[in-house]
Amino acid sequence: MSARGTLYGVGVGPGDPELMSLKAARILKSAPVIAYFARKGSVGNARRAVDGQLNPDAELVRLDYPFTTELPETDPCYRDALVAFYDASAATLAARLDAGRDVAVICAGDPFFYGSYAHLHERLAETHRCEVIPGITAMSGCWTRAAMPMTCGDEMLVVLSGTMDADALAERLATSEAAVIMKVGRNLAKIRQALMRSDKLDRAVYVERGTMPEERIVRLADKADDDAAYFAVVLVPGVRKPL
Ligand SMILES: C[S@@+](CC[C@H](N)C(=O)[O-])C[C@H]1O[C@@H](n2cnc3c(N)ncnc32)[C@H](O)[C@@H]1O
């Protein structure tokens, strides 16, 4: 029986292909199987970021999420469907690994930072060799493009999700100095309210598709509507004390 292949979780960064590590590029150029997550009807952001950089002979395995929008993980239907989806995805990849083929999973940003890859890793790491290649996170790409130092000295940074309920968001924002809010999408109105309640709207910056060709960066207070992309973050920098 052939030796099992290795599962690679490959962080490819926030979108600009040049923000990928040399190690990530090398693995994607040589892996015989390349898997990627995508929402139905979309190419998949991480997949698009590495267009033209993949092993041309690789088998591509597309893992289609069962939903097109993100719901709270507390929603039981959402949770059950996701568990079934990750079980099936892990089985699909395990079949390739068991046949002795390495599998690279393309991951937006860093695989272990809110990445779907973690759900595959949890299912396969006990039985298969897994290696994770870190990536530049979306928030790092976004605050760099916004030319915005985020934290300084002993300031604390909190990372929140737009899917949190309004009160929890406002409470966390009120007690933090700098903040990043991920998963913006249809949560922007709620995020705006929470920033107003915690007196931070003035400092908040909305970054959509940071480091990608369609990038958009605007002060949230100057954004007239609450239409927002899923691939967006709201950044609240700490208050810099000049040295
Ligand atoms: C499932 S998380 C993945 C995070 C990723 N693993 C990372 O390291 O940043 C998806 C969220 O990341 C953020 N995101 C990912 N890419 C982005 C980009 N290029 N610009 C702005 N936000 C992005 C959005 O908030 C999106 O809802």
Side-chain angles (χ1 to χ4, degrees), residues 14-126:
D16 176 349
E18 292 194 337
L19 293 177
M20 186 171 33
S21 70
L22 296 175
K23 190 165 188 175
R26 174 176 59 75
I27 290 170
L28 294 177
K29 271 273 178 253
S30 58
V33 182
I34 298 177
Y36 62 100
F37 291 101
R39 281 166 211 283
K40 286 193 177 108
S42 105
V43 180
N45 236 28
R47 165 77 182 79
R48 208 180 50 147
V50 294
D51 239 359
Q53 311 210 44
L54 306 181
N55 172 7
D57 301 322
E59 177 196 4
L60 290 182
V61 179
R62 181 180 162 118
L63 305 169
D64 269 310
Y65 290 113
F67 298 102
T68 49
T69 52
E70 190 124 358
L71 300 169
E73 283 199 5
T74 44
D75 182 318
C77 298
Y78 183 69
R79 211 179 170 284
D80 290 350
L82 275 186
V83 168
F85 166 65
Y86 287 122
D87 284 348
S89 301
T92 299
L93 301 190
R96 272 86 179 162
L97 295 168
D98 293 343
R101 302 167 78 200
D102 292 342
V103 177
V105 182
I106 305 171
C107 308
D110 184 280
F112 278 168
F113 187 69
Y114 296 106
S116 299
Y117 169 79
H119 302 293
L120 298 176
H121 194 92
E122 279 157 9
R123 286 166 172 74
L124 294 169
E126 273 188 20

Side-chain angles (χ1 to χ4, degrees), residues 114-159:
Y114 296 106
S116 299
Y117 169 79
H119 302 293
L120 298 176
H121 194 92
E122 279 157 9
R123 286 166 172 74
L124 294 169
E126 273 188 20
T127 47
H128 298 78
R129 201 177 110 75
C130 297
E131 191 180 331
V132 174
I133 317 303
I136 295 175
T137 57
M139 62 181 180
S140 173
C142 289
W143 66 53
T144 304
R145 290 293 303 154
M148 207 162 74
M150 280 296 285
T151 47
C152 202
D154 55 7
E155 279 177 340
M156 191 180 59
L157 168 73
V158 63
V159 180

Side-chain angles (χ1 to χ4, degrees), residues 126-208:
E126 273 188 20
T127 47
H128 298 78
R129 201 177 110 75
C130 297
E131 191 180 331
V132 174
I133 317 303
I136 295 175
T137 57
M139 62 181 180
S140 173
C142 289
W143 66 53
T144 304
R145 290 293 303 154
M148 207 162 74
M150 280 296 285
T151 47
C152 202
D154 55 7
E155 279 177 340
M156 191 180 59
L157 168 73
V158 63
V159 180
L160 304 170
S161 170
T163 54
M164 290 166 65
D165 79 51
D167 288 344
L169 260 181
E171 275 163 34
R172 297 285 180 154
L173 284 168
T175 55
S176 64
E177 284 139 342
V180 173
I181 307 172
M182 316 270 298
K183 302 185 182 181
V184 178
R186 49 194 190 150
N187 301 304
L188 188 56
K190 178 177 60 176
I191 293 169
R192 190 192 292 273
Q193 284 296 325
L195 285 162
M196 281 162 70
R197 280 168 62 187
S198 54
D199 212 15
K200 288 192 165 62
L201 182 63
D202 264 7
R203 298 197 331 253
V205 173
Y206 170 84
V207 184
E208 180 175 311

